[in-house]
Amino acid sequence: MNYIIIAGNLGRDVELKEAGTSKVATFSVATKRLKRGGEGVDWHQVNAWNVEGERCHQYLRKGSEVVVHGRMEYQSWTDPEGNKKSRPVIQADRVHFCGGRSKGADGGSQQSRQGSDEIPF
């Protein structure tokens, strides 16, 4: 079974791109983990497609708290020097928004791109 759930904070704003006839939102999520001598942080690349991706792009900002449900896939490519590279990417089935409104750099609340403070679930 390939199913993953992560909970953490966005490391950057969501990017929305066209992928053929679909749309894909990409973002990174930082999760905490316990390790000897303290805590560590793991970074996860997440893709959310079509309506879910558009919803993420509309409402999420850097620092937003999320819970992501999805499956792990590996992206492979060859770099310009001819080296084979790969990285894990979570293909999100569902992204739950947590923590209410996101905070801007000045500490004030940011409104969504639609001008509403409400985040529908």
Side-chain angles (χ1 to χ4, degrees), residues 6 21 26 30-31 42 55 59 66 91 102-103:
I6 62 167
T21 60
T26 60
T31 58
D42 290 323
R55 196 171 71 89
Y59 293 106
V66 294
Q91 300 297 334
S102 61
K103 298 289 183 182

Side-chain angles (χ1 to χ4, degrees), residues 10 19 25-26 32 60 63 74 83 86 95 109 117:
L10 267 65
T26 60
K32 290 183 183 180
L60 297 177
Y74 288 86
N83 301 312
S86 68
V95 180
S109 296
D117 287 336

Side-chain angles (χ1 to χ4, degrees), residues 39-84:
E39 289 184 349
V41 174
D42 290 323
W43 288 94
H44 309 274
Q45 179 68 35
V46 179
N47 290 342
W49 294 84
N50 298 317
V51 174
E52 190 72 11
E54 290 174 356
R55 196 171 71 89
C56 290
H57 183 252
Q58 182 177 1
Y59 293 106
L60 297 177
R61 304 287 180 273
K62 180 179 179 178
S64 295
E65 297 175 42
V66 294
V67 176
V68 178
H69 296 250
R71 66 190 182 286
M72 185 70 70
E73 290 184 357
Y74 288 86
Q75 288 181 338
S76 298
W77 71 95
T78 303
D79 70 12
E81 290 82 37
N83 301 312
K84 291 188 177 190

